[in-house]
Amino acid sequence: MKLLSRKASCNSHGQDSSYFAGWEEYEKNPYDDVKNPKGIIQMGLAENQLSFDLLESWLAKNPDAAGFKRNGESIFRELALFQDYHGLPAFKNALGEFMAEIRGNKVSFDSNKLVLTAGATSANETLIFCLANPGEAFLLPTPYYPGFDRDLKWRTEVEIVPIQCTSSNGFRITKSALEEAYQQAQNRNLKVKGVLVTNPSNPLGISLSRHELNLLLSFIAAKGIHLISDEIYSGTVFNSPGFVSIMEVLMNKKYVNSPVWDRVHIVYSLSKDLGLPGFRVGAIYSNDKMVVDAATKMSSFGLVSSQTQYLLSAMLSDKKFTKNYVTENHKRLKQRHAMLIRGLKNAGIPCLESNAGLFCWVDMRHLLSSKTFEAEMELWKKIVYQVGLNISPGSSCHCVEPGWFRMCFANMSEQTLDLAMQRIKSFVNSISYSNNLSPNQQHSNKSSRRKSFSKWVFGLSFHDRESER
Amino acid sequence: MELLSKIATNDGHGENSSYFDGWKAYDSDPFHPTKNIHGVIQMGLAENQLCFDLIQEWVENNPKASICTPQGSNDFKDISNYQDYHGLPEFRNSVARFMEKVRGNKVKFNPDRIVMSGGATGAHETLAFCLADPGEAFLVPTPYYPGYDRDLRWRTSIQLLPVVCESSNEFKLTREALEDAYEKAQEANIKVKGLILNNPSNPLGTVLDRDTLRDAMSFISEKDIHLICDEIYSATVFNEPDFISIAEIAEEGAVCKNRDLIHIVYSLSKDLGFPGFRVGIIYSYNDAVVNCARKMSSFGLVSTQTQHLIASMLSDDTFVEKFLDESAKRLAERQGLFSRGLAKVGIESLKGNAGLFCWMDLRRLLKEPTFEAEMELWHLIISEVKLNISPGASFHCLEPGWFRVCFANMDDETLRIALKRIHKFVIQEKGLDQPTTRKQCKRSKLELSLSFRRLDEFMMTPRTLSSPHSMTSPLVRART
């Protein structure tokens, strides 16, 4: 008899994807500026490590919050016993207000409609369990976060049908792409239950335009289906145009009393905006009472630790702190993003113009030996193993065009980013030298050209530094 | 088109079960020693509140464990950033060592086999996802924790089939009952993938003896099915006989032929009294299950803030030893106080040596040996005696009249008040019921078997969780 379940024996957990293979390589040989300067630099992890000092200084000034105390009195017992899946009211209120603040207070969130979950991973899975039956489908614009293959499909047995977005229009969602995806699902005999978008987008780093949001609402209205808006990166919009949440557009008169009102659900988390992925704080927000009820019950499978809820309720209720944090965080992200763009430009590598996220969507199509995914894989392997950068290939994000890569910029120090840029520049130069593609990209240091492909990159870290940008 | 999924709209969450009616009564009128002395006393919540003073003291003396205090804040960045589903190594190590201590160091646990989950709730669901496909089944001895119906079945679509345990032999699990349940499944064309044991047992408050464990082990080996042992109450054993973990039996080569079939569920919610911290653990001897469960743990990881606290606390050997000793002592005292109090008015309970509750025998107080009578008695106890206790039916007990009463989630004074109320009630009932009880006994045996048959149907269609109001079926009404 087959010992384990189908779910345990199949590949739907998605971890055979290249997205994770790169991580494994990094784990085997991780860069460290002192202990392993030749190691692989992790640029495949969308983490926000830029503003920890702000959190640390808040904690230093507010020791009670983490010390299980309220006004100097221990509340350890109450917290240890608190397992109500409705969540700590103070925390939900503070979280709702924080979410509103990120949206410029153009929308407000009712904490009764908020469900706490163990990270956005759990929020997304829970919503799918609530909205779709096994074998049914959700439409997702490509490219999308590789983790969705696991989160949305694995245990739920729901299918993802892609909404193909292309570079021809900056990967924006179009009406025809939506219709085509819906049709595709019909052809495959899959009942579509909704659309899921990430706004701002991972991996694109762009916030959805009002036009796209309206398009989405009209589409789901016409088809009678749901819309999940994963707004996990909402607090990372560092440039104009500002962030427009689906909730803002929903407040428009024509949607307020329509059936669509109940069919739009938001997913949020503190993993990206506050940089606290370890604390597992996710949330679902929905206007549909039945969804809130069902999701609340399901949250039993992944509640947020009361210890963490309490700490964060104190932190997020400190409005002075949150206001300052949001502003400062934007500033630092903007700076870091600019640094990556400059570095890539210097290497002749363009990026999709972006205003959000912790990464750039990088265009390396011109470096492919052919316009194929095989060539993309070939290039990717070179970048991981030889250049020593773990970046994420577009194919792992289900991009339909080969040659695009996601590179993260907020999970390392400036020095490390600088080094990464040097490595990529040298790599590009050596290719252009050997392929004679761009004579303009001549390397000023002749000696490095003589080094063999596998040896040159390691010498670069100390001896062959480029002139600083 | 149905807007929501079947799972979102069915009753699989189990919250329409009678188990929760008492909670609702409590919520609307909760007892308070000064503000609401006549309110409902919560005796339906299996929580361990007896040793918080010890823990609080430890927390105050070890501020570094709360990473965000000045002493511990150096660790803040690394910990809050760490989202690896393997879990902090110090967390896994300390949990493994703790589990070993609880088992008297008679077994060893490999920290690499420790997988996190969202409480034991998450652990059970994850194991079900790993081991069974929709429509397949696990066997579970009755009476059992009502939450299993949701945890193991709701989103997984697997079935739970009862292994009947009876009061005639103190609800012990017999090989016969196991074989019977398995056969019934075969006849109904349901594929059985495993057996769930809860040891110590909720609601019985007893531990499984070595023979029973060996029997269970040989049964699952023979049928080539999994064995999930929920040991969530392992450190609440306060009297003899000693707790014997399945881990011990797993090391007996003669009995355990295939360790790939053995999995343990654990949590800190009962032993330490930390349900709010959501620390669930899966320990599997099967590499593929460890790998799969670990990937699934992404859906319910333990907050690293909590992992860090727990790691610090459980690595403090002196504290852990003192805690385990003191906790067992206080539980023994509390249980003793309660069962003696019950005995004073002639109420027996199953002789238990573990857990946070008593399995109370109120069969004598039933108007008739039916589940309707049990419901009636229960509603009476909630509304007039003002105690929220849990009726045996909600635990799928096949014999009416048994109730689970929790004793570790309140202080001594509240427990005394509860006992006083029980005394008063029993004395009243004794006076009122005696003539009626005799009359009821004369009723036909047919009615008895009708009630049991109905329950049988209820048991074999696990998806329909009936509320007390649906207990009256046409079969019963026909008799009047």
Side-chain angles (χ1 to χ4, degrees):
Chain A
M1 183 190 71
K2 198 167 45 76
L3 209 60
L4 303 188
S5 65
R6 283 191 294 266
K7 291 183 176 74
S9 339
C10 71
N11 280 344
S12 304
H13 49 71
Q15 274 188 225
D16 298 336
S17 140
S18 48
Y19 183 69
F20 296 100
W23 285 34
E24 278 169 30
E25 283 314 304
Y26 163 77
E27 297 291 330
K28 291 185 207 159
N29 180 20
Y31 170 80
D32 181 283
D33 63 343
V34 170
K35 297 181 218 162
N36 190 18
K38 295 176 187 174
I40 299 178
I41 297 175
Q42 173 65 288
M43 299 190 86
L45 189 52
E47 267 177 9
N48 183 358
Q49 296 190 22
L50 304 186
S51 305
F52 272 121
D53 57 318
L54 301 178
L55 296 173
E56 276 161 2
S57 83
W58 186 91
L59 291 166
K61 295 189 207 129
N62 298 270
D64 270 10
F68 300 96
K69 293 202 173 118
R70 182 169 50 212
N71 302 325
E73 296 274 306
S74 173
I75 53 166
F76 182 88
R77 190 173 161 277
E78 287 89 280
L79 288 176
L81 290 173
F82 187 84
Q83 57 174 326
D84 182 353
Y85 57 26
H86 292 99
L88 213 59
F91 177 55
K92 287 215 303 195
N93 288 336
L95 183 62
E97 283 168 9
F98 182 66
M99 288 169 71
E101 188 172 338
I102 286 177
R103 289 153 184 73
N105 288 307
K106 290 185 213 139
V107 283
S108 66
F109 292 92
D110 175 355
S111 60
N112 291 318
K113 296 180 179 178
L114 205 55
V115 181
L116 299 176
T117 62
T121 299
S122 178
N124 280 314
E125 190 197 43
T126 295
L127 264 179
I128 299 295
F129 266 125
C130 288
L131 305 178
N133 294 310
E136 295 179 342
F138 256 75
L139 308 180
L140 264 69
T142 62
Y144 63 76
Y145 162 57
F148 281 152
D149 289 323
R150 170 197 60 194
D151 302 349
L152 309 179
K153 300 187 342 177
W154 190 18
R155 307 191 307 179
T156 60
E157 299 189 48
V158 166
E159 279 301 325
I160 294 179
V161 174
I163 301 165
Q164 321 274 29
C165 299
T166 65
S167 59
S168 60
N169 73 337
F171 294 95
R172 294 282 170 187
I173 299 170
T174 63
K175 186 159 194 280
S176 58
L178 285 166
E179 292 293 348
E180 235 175 83
Y182 193 85
Q183 187 56 53
Q184 254 290 314
Q186 308 280 73
N187 297 345
R188 288 169 60 184
N189 242 328
L190 296 168
K191 187 192 261 186
V192 175
K193 288 309 265 292
V195 178
L196 187 150
V197 299
T198 309
N199 177 27
S201 160
N202 173 12
L204 303 175
I206 56 180
S207 55
L208 267 54
S209 62
R210 252 177 229 278
H211 173 73
E212 285 171 291
L213 295 172
N214 276 305
L215 210 58
L216 287 164
L217 289 175
S218 314
F219 181 74
I220 65 156
K223 304 288 192 241
I225 61 179
H226 295 274
L227 176 63
I228 299 176
S229 181
D230 183 343
E231 302 190 346
I232 195 180
Y233 291 98
S234 47
T236 68
V237 180
F238 50 79
N239 257 340
S240 63
F243 175 60
V244 180
S245 167
I246 193 72
M247 275 301 155
E248 203 188 311
V249 181
L250 204 60
M251 301 290 278
N252 181 310
K253 268 178 263 174
K254 72 176 170 180
Y255 294 122
V256 174
N257 287 313
S258 75
V260 161
W261 178 256
D262 283 351
R263 297 205 306 262
V264 174
H265 323 280
I266 290 184
V267 164
Y268 188 55
S269 158
L270 297 179
S271 300
K272 311 294 178 184
D273 291 351
L274 279 189
L276 302 173
F279 286 4
R280 313 316 300 145
V281 181
I284 293 170
Y285 187 85
S286 174
N287 288 319
D288 184 329
K289 186 172 185 304
M290 277 182 75
V291 171
V292 171
D293 281 350
T296 301
K297 293 178 172 76
M298 287 190 193
S299 69
S300 298
F301 299 110
L303 296 172
V304 179
S305 171
S306 56
Q307 176 190 18
T308 301
Q309 288 189 54
Y310 181 65
L311 169 67
L312 295 177
S313 70
M315 191 185 286
L316 297 182
S317 311
D318 185 341
K319 302 299 179 195
K320 197 162 156 232
F321 166 76
T322 55
K323 206 160 172 215
N324 177 51
Y325 181 92
V326 170
T327 314
E328 189 58 30
N329 188 40
H330 283 174
K331 225 166 79 184
R332 298 179 188 188
L333 286 170
K334 184 175 178 168
Q335 228 170 46
R336 195 54 84 78
H337 166 265
M339 191 176 160
L340 176 65
I341 303 284
R342 267 196 318 268
L344 291 173
K345 192 171 174 205
N346 198 29
I349 298 176
C351 298
L352 182 71
E353 199 180 314
S354 62
N355 67 325
L358 309 172
F359 32 74
C360 280
W361 189 234
V362 178
D363 184 357
M364 299 209 216
R365 289 176 292 176
H366 59 291
L367 299 177
L368 294 182
S369 57
S370 61
K371 283 203 189 114
T372 62
F373 285 107
E374 285 76 18
E376 179 183 281
M377 270 300 115
E378 214 181 281
L379 176 59
W380 177 66
K381 283 182 184 149
K382 283 191 188 134
I383 296 178
V384 173
Y385 297 103
Q386 289 166 17
V387 183
L389 303 178
N390 177 34
I391 64 179
S392 313
S395 52
S396 69
C397 301
H398 302 279
C399 185
V400 292
E401 299 171 33
W404 292 87
F405 293 79
R406 189 193 76 169
M407 287 179 82
C408 299
F409 57 71
N411 63 312
M412 64 193 73
S413 69
E414 250 184 55
Q415 292 80 356
T416 309
L417 184 59
D418 192 45
L419 174 61
M421 293 300 92
Q422 289 174 47
R423 288 186 183 181
I424 200 101
K425 168 127 197 215
S426 303
F427 169 67
V428 168
N429 285 348
S430 60
I431 295 183
S432 66
Y433 178 72
S434 54
N435 290 349
N436 253 336
L437 277 174
S438 325
N440 296 337
Q441 287 172 324
Q442 293 296 320
H443 201 296
S444 56
N445 186 342
K446 290 191 162 94
S447 66
S448 69
R449 277 184 224 143
R450 284 188 211 114
K451 287 187 182 136
S452 72
F453 217 51
S454 54
K455 284 185 189 158
W456 62 267
V457 64
F458 303 120
L460 279 174
S461 19
F462 294 112
H463 308 296
D464 299 319
R465 285 191 152 245
E466 291 293 304
S467 51
E468 299 298 329
R469 275 167 268 97
Chain B
M1 179 187 75
E2 301 97 25
L3 217 52
L4 302 190
S5 68
K6 296 195 179 81
I7 290 176
T9 46
N10 69 19
D11 269 344
H13 49 72
E15 284 186 33
N16 296 333
S17 141
S18 55
Y19 188 58
F20 296 97
D21 280 3
W23 288 44
K24 292 171 193 159
Y26 167 77
D27 281 339
S28 55
D29 180 22
F31 170 83
H32 187 276
T34 52
K35 297 184 207 159
N36 189 17
I37 195 128
H38 298 294
V40 176
I41 298 177
Q42 175 64 286
M43 302 192 86
L45 189 52
E47 267 177 7
N48 185 354
Q49 296 190 22
L50 303 187
C51 291
F52 275 119
D53 57 322
L54 300 177
I55 300 194
Q56 223 152 269
E57 193 191 355
W58 187 92
V59 169
E60 306 240 337
N61 294 337
N62 293 272
K64 203 164 174 281
S66 311
I67 51 166
C68 316
T69 55
Q71 292 89 334
S73 62
N74 291 333
D75 297 327
F76 176 75
K77 181 174 174 204
D78 291 332
I79 287 171
S80 60
N81 204 44
Y82 184 90
Q83 58 177 326
D84 185 336
Y85 60 24
H86 287 86
L88 292 171
E90 57 267 28
F91 170 74
R92 278 184 288 122
N93 289 335
S94 66
V95 170
R97 299 289 87 83
F98 181 71
M99 288 172 70
E100 285 169 1
K101 285 197 184 98
V102 170
R103 288 152 185 73
N105 289 310
K106 289 185 221 142
V107 289
K108 283 232 141 274
F109 287 108
N110 177 356
D112 291 337
R113 292 190 174 284
I114 297 236
V115 176
M116 297 181 285
S117 60
T121 300
H124 279 293
E125 190 193 46
T126 294
L127 275 176
F129 271 126
C130 289
L131 306 178
D133 290 322
E136 297 181 338
F138 287 140
L139 303 181
V140 53
T142 64
Y144 65 82
Y145 163 58
Y148 283 162
D149 290 323
R150 169 199 59 194
D151 301 348
L152 295 160
R153 303 180 327 167
W154 189 19
R155 306 191 304 182
T156 60
S157 300
I158 68 141
Q159 304 189 57
L160 282 185
L161 303 175
V163 178
V164 181
C165 300
E166 294 170 334
S167 62
S168 54
N169 75 334
E170 292 166 339
F171 295 96
K172 285 202 168 47
L173 177 64
T174 64
R175 183 62 180 255
E176 206 176 52
L178 284 168
E179 296 287 355
D180 206 44
Y182 190 83
E183 214 180 287
K184 277 210 173 83
Q186 304 282 76
E187 284 162 16
N189 234 338
I190 301 173
K191 190 189 254 186
V192 174
K193 284 308 268 292
L195 167 66
I196 313 234
L197 293 182
N198 183 204
N199 178 30
S201 158
N202 171 12
L204 303 177
T206 54
V207 296
L208 294 175
D209 59 46
R210 200 174 287 277
D211 285 338
T212 306
L213 285 165
R214 283 182 177 153
D215 248 343
M217 185 70 90
S218 88
F219 171 76
I220 60 117
S221 299
E222 193 187 291
K223 308 286 190 251
D224 200 25
I225 61 176
H226 293 277
L227 180 59
I228 299 173
C229 220
D230 181 351
E231 301 192 341
I232 196 180
Y233 291 98
S234 47
T236 67
V237 179
F238 49 79
N239 264 337
E240 305 227 306
D242 279 342
F243 172 60
I244 302 171
S245 166
I246 198 69
E248 264 187 73
I249 313 296
E251 291 182 3
E252 292 179 11
V255 184
C256 181
K257 307 284 188 209
N258 182 6
R259 300 217 314 182
D260 272 351
L261 298 173
I262 315 297
H263 323 279
I264 297 179
V265 165
Y266 188 54
S267 157
L268 299 182
S269 300
K270 310 296 178 183
D271 289 350
L272 288 181
F274 294 164
F277 295 168
R278 312 317 300 148
V279 183
I281 301 289
I282 293 172
Y283 187 93
S284 175
Y285 291 88
N286 181 322
D287 289 345
V289 172
V290 169
N291 281 329
C292 182
R294 188 173 284 137
K295 292 180 173 74
M296 288 188 182
S297 69
S298 298
F299 298 110
L301 296 172
V302 177
S303 167
T304 44
Q305 181 192 14
T306 300
Q307 287 186 49
H308 180 85
L309 173 75
I310 298 299
S312 307
M313 194 183 288
L314 298 186
S315 345
D316 184 341
D317 287 335
T318 316
F319 167 75
V320 167
E321 273 170 41
K322 175 172 158 204
F323 177 89
L324 290 176
D325 265 339
E326 193 58 32
S327 177
K329 225 166 79 186
R330 295 181 189 185
L331 282 169
E333 242 167 63
R334 186 52 80 79
Q335 192 250 25
L337 175 72
F338 191 63
S339 49
R340 279 191 307 272
L342 292 178
K344 273 202 188 118
V345 282
I347 295 183
E348 297 289 311
S349 36
L350 189 68
K351 190 162 186 295
N353 67 321
L356 311 171
F357 31 71
C358 277
W359 187 234
M360 210 167 52
D361 183 356
L362 297 185
R363 288 178 292 178
R364 284 186 315 111
L365 297 181
L366 292 186
K367 289 209 167 80
E368 55 192 28
T370 62
F371 285 102
E372 283 85 0
E374 180 182 283
M375 276 301 134
E376 216 179 286
L377 176 59
W378 180 56
H379 280 126
L380 203 62
I381 294 177
I382 294 179
S383 55
E384 301 202 1
V385 190
K386 301 272 199 116
L387 301 177
N388 177 31
I389 66 178
S390 314
S394 63
F395 292 88
H396 301 281
C397 183
L398 262 78
E399 300 167 46
W402 293 87
F403 291 78
R404 188 192 78 171
V405 196
C406 299
F407 54 68
N409 61 315
M410 63 193 72
D411 57 31
D412 280 340
E413 189 46 42
T414 309
L415 192 69
R416 286 198 184 93
I417 294 175
L419 280 171
K420 271 201 201 110
R421 292 184 186 180
I422 292 175
H423 286 182
K424 200 166 148 208
F425 174 71
V426 171
I427 290 164
Q428 273 175 332
E429 285 297 297
K430 267 187 177 162
L432 290 170
D433 260 16
Q434 265 160 6
T436 334
T437 320
R438 266 184 228 128
K439 202 166 39 172
Q440 301 299 359
C441 280
K442 288 193 176 123
R443 291 199 177 175
S444 81
K445 287 211 173 105
L446 178 64
E447 288 141 13
L448 256 177
S449 68
L450 282 176
S451 330
F452 277 96
R453 200 209 303 169
R454 213 171 6 94
L455 189 66
D456 222 35
E457 285 163 5
F458 158 69
M459 296 300 286
M460 289 307 281
T461 50
R463 284 190 191 247
T464 31
L465 286 170
S466 51
S467 81
H469 315 289
S470 67
M471 273 305 200
T472 20
S473 96
L475 286 170
V476 175
R477 267 192 236 114
R479 100 172 108 94
T480 47

